[in-house]
Amino acid sequence: MTIQQWANDLLQWIPTTNIKTNESLKKYTMTKLGGNADVLVLPKTEQQVIAVIKYAHENNVPLLMLGNGSNMVVRDGGVRGIVLHFTLLNEIRVEGTTVFSQSGALIKEVSKQVASQSLTGFEFACGIPGSIGGAMAMNAGAYGGEIKDVVTSCTVVTKEGELLVLSNDQLELSYRKSIIAKNGYFVLSATFELAKGNQQQIDEKIADLTFQRESKQPLEFPSAGSVFKRPPGHFAGKLIQDSELQGKGVGGAEVSTKHAGFIVNKNNATARDYIETIQMVQRTVKEKFDVDLEMEVKIVGEDEA
């Protein structure tokens, strides 16, 4: 089957304006890196998501889910098959202390909405750049809080198109891990339970965390966020800093001089530059400290031919 055949078939469920062929993924990722998607689909309803997943499964078409593209590096050769971009599935509802969010909503937008209604427990997420779907898959966390502390259930679709509602326990959430990532599930939505709080205290905590983030992280350059998981007994940023790697890199990619845990696209980097910089950091830290740095970011797609 050809790319055009896939696109034509998808018109059964998806409006033509929401299907793009040979679409550059640079504009959809926080690193501003990567080649083209064969077919990019922007579903507007959960039923459309399920239809595309079933179609891909039944026709053996590779399928990739893309949220805010904050924790992902797309290789220069792009992505074969269909990329599902969830940006239009962004509904957020607050009912009392219960919060419902579709997977394409930004986690920081959820944090902002619940804070405006004097709900506490989600302040930790005020600066996390990802979507709810991505946050669920990797049990996103920051400043002492994690998704697993507040989520009650998550609705997912299996690779075969089966709908599942998973409880907190069934999600198997641990440090940057979940059954979602393990089994390749597609997140549709999640429900969270928060608590009524003091508005002044909530606002002060968010202001403090925002200051910490803006003063310490290189937000002025495109990046995939924190590149490496925290190694047991260490901090990745400290190991990289002590390896004197800040300011070093390959091509247009560089280990941030502001925060060693970040690799930035400083000067029109390619995905190859970015990935080779990651590998350089891993090699150097292993040689100097005998510590293996495991990537937190996900690398997808193909190298350029």
Side-chain angles (χ1 to χ4, degrees):
M1 293 173 74
T2 64
I3 293 171
Q4 198 55 54
Q5 181 66 58
W6 295 334
N8 290 342
D9 288 349
L10 292 170
L11 289 171
Q12 298 172 67
W13 310 286
I14 312 292
T16 184
T17 51
N18 293 47
I19 301 173
K20 301 175 189 293
T21 56
N22 293 313
E23 178 77 355
S24 171
L25 291 174
K26 287 184 181 181
K27 61 180 110 169
Y28 301 97
T29 61
M30 299 289 282
T31 56
K32 305 303 177 195
L33 302 172
N36 294 356
D38 284 347
V39 181
L40 181 77
V41 179
L42 295 94
K44 293 184 74 173
T45 68
E46 296 182 357
Q47 290 72 26
Q48 289 177 355
V49 173
I50 295 168
V52 174
I53 291 170
K54 283 183 175 176
Y55 171 80
H57 175 67
E58 289 165 6
N59 292 280
N60 294 314
V61 182
L63 185 63
L64 174 71
M65 177 178 174
L66 180 63
N68 195 40
S70 59
N71 211 41
M72 181 178 283
V73 177
V74 178
R75 291 187 174 98
D76 298 309
V79 179
R80 305 290 68 81
I82 298 169
V83 175
L84 266 175
H85 188 33
F86 281 54
T87 187
L88 301 179
L89 286 169
N90 57 10
E91 183 188 358
I92 303 167
R93 285 199 315 270
V94 181
E95 296 171 2
T97 55
T98 301
V99 183
F100 166 88
S101 172
Q102 288 185 306
S103 64
L106 297 182
I107 186 171
K108 60 185 179 183
E109 282 301 317
V110 176
S111 178
K112 189 174 169 183
Q113 276 207 36
V114 300
S116 72
Q117 299 194 38
S118 303
L119 294 177
T120 186
F122 221 87
E123 294 92 335
F124 73 90
C126 64
I128 295 175
S131 65
I132 287 294
M136 289 302 312
M138 66 177 295
N139 183 30
Y143 302 111
E146 289 180 298
I147 283 291
K148 74 179 179 68
D149 302 332
V150 288
V151 68
T152 53
S153 67
C154 183
T155 301
V156 302
V157 185
T158 69
K159 293 175 183 176
E160 296 75 34
E162 182 188 357
L163 200 65
L164 301 176
V165 179
L166 303 174
S167 67
N168 186 308
D169 288 344
Q170 290 172 315
L171 287 163
E172 297 180 14
L173 299 168
S174 60
Y175 178 64
R176 302 301 175 261
K177 290 182 180 177
S178 71
I179 198 167
I180 297 164
K182 181 178 164 187
N183 290 353
Y185 293 153
F186 296 84
V187 177
L188 289 182
S189 62
T191 304
F192 307 94
E193 188 61 35
L194 304 176
K196 277 290 181 185
N198 177 282
Q199 189 66 57
Q200 185 179 344
Q201 290 175 354
I202 292 168
D203 291 344
E204 285 174 356
K205 185 168 185 181
I206 287 177
D208 176 52
L209 294 181
T210 301
F211 173 76
Q212 287 187 54
R213 180 172 177 266
E214 290 178 350
S215 61
K216 293 175 183 175
Q217 295 182 11
L219 305 179
E220 64 274 26
F221 295 111
S223 82
S226 182
V227 174
F228 303 103
K229 294 180 182 179
R230 186 176 63 243
H234 299 276
F235 290 100
K238 180 75 165 61
L239 291 170
I240 298 165
Q241 188 176 332
D242 292 347
S243 298
E244 300 179 345
L245 288 172
Q246 285 178 280
K248 295 181 180 176
V250 177
E254 180 183 285
V255 178
S256 170
T257 53
K258 195 171 183 180
H259 188 310
F262 284 64
I263 293 172
V264 295
N265 177 358
K266 192 170 182 183
N267 187 23
N268 296 315
T270 63
R272 183 182 287 275
D273 293 342
Y274 203 92
I275 293 164
E276 287 184 358
T277 302
I278 290 173
Q279 292 167 343
M280 177 198 72
V281 170
Q282 289 174 315
R283 280 196 310 272
T284 306
V285 169
K286 178 68 173 174
E287 287 165 8
K288 285 185 176 283
F289 300 104
D290 196 29
V291 175
D292 293 305
L293 289 182
E294 186 182 348
M295 282 192 300
E296 187 171 303
V297 299
K298 184 179 178 185
I299 297 174
V300 300
E302 299 180 349
D303 288 321
E304 207 162 25

